[in-house]
């Protein structure tokens, strides 16, 4: 069965996307840029319990990050 609840770092999809609950833990990832967090990612849904579209709407840390980060449209 698919995992539910808050996304954990050791889940298959989270590992595939290098998700970390604390963005600074991604500092060695070449895709990571300081200041990029779930909070300013286009896939973050703050009005839906801090869910992430890419994780089926499950909750992520607003200060987290993953390799699918893309900026919110201005
Ligand atoms: Fe966070 Fe965006 Fe990755 Fe979702 S896609 S986990 S909101 S960085």
């Amino acid at each position: 069965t698919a995992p539910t609840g808050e996304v954990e770092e050791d889940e298959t999809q989270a590992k595939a996307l290098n998700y970390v609950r604390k963005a600074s833990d991604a500092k060695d990832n070449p895709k990571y840029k300081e200041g990029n967090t779930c909070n300013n990612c286009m896939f973050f849904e703050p009005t839906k319990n801090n869910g992430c579209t890419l994780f089926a709407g499950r909750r992520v840390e607003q200060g987290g990050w993953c390799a699918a980060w893309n900026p919110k449209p201005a």
Side-chain angles (χ1 to χ4, degrees), residues 3-63:
T4 57
E6 178 155 355
V7 174
E8 301 292 343
E9 293 180 0
D10 61 356
E11 292 173 20
T12 304
Q13 186 186 352
K15 286 198 279 195
L17 291 177
N18 303 129
Y19 171 73
V20 286
R21 292 163 54 96
K22 201 172 133 204
S24 59
D25 287 346
K27 62 179 172 4
D28 294 331
N29 189 311
K31 290 184 179 164
Y32 171 69
K33 289 196 177 58
E34 196 175 341
N36 295 358
T37 59
C38 292
N39 198 40
N40 55 26
C41 172
M42 67 180 292
F43 299 113
F44 189 56
E45 303 178 341
T47 62
K48 294 182 182 170
N49 193 31
N50 291 357
C52 170
T53 311
L54 292 195
F55 284 95
R58 291 171 56 215
R59 183 181 174 90
V60 293
E61 291 295 317
Q62 57 179 343

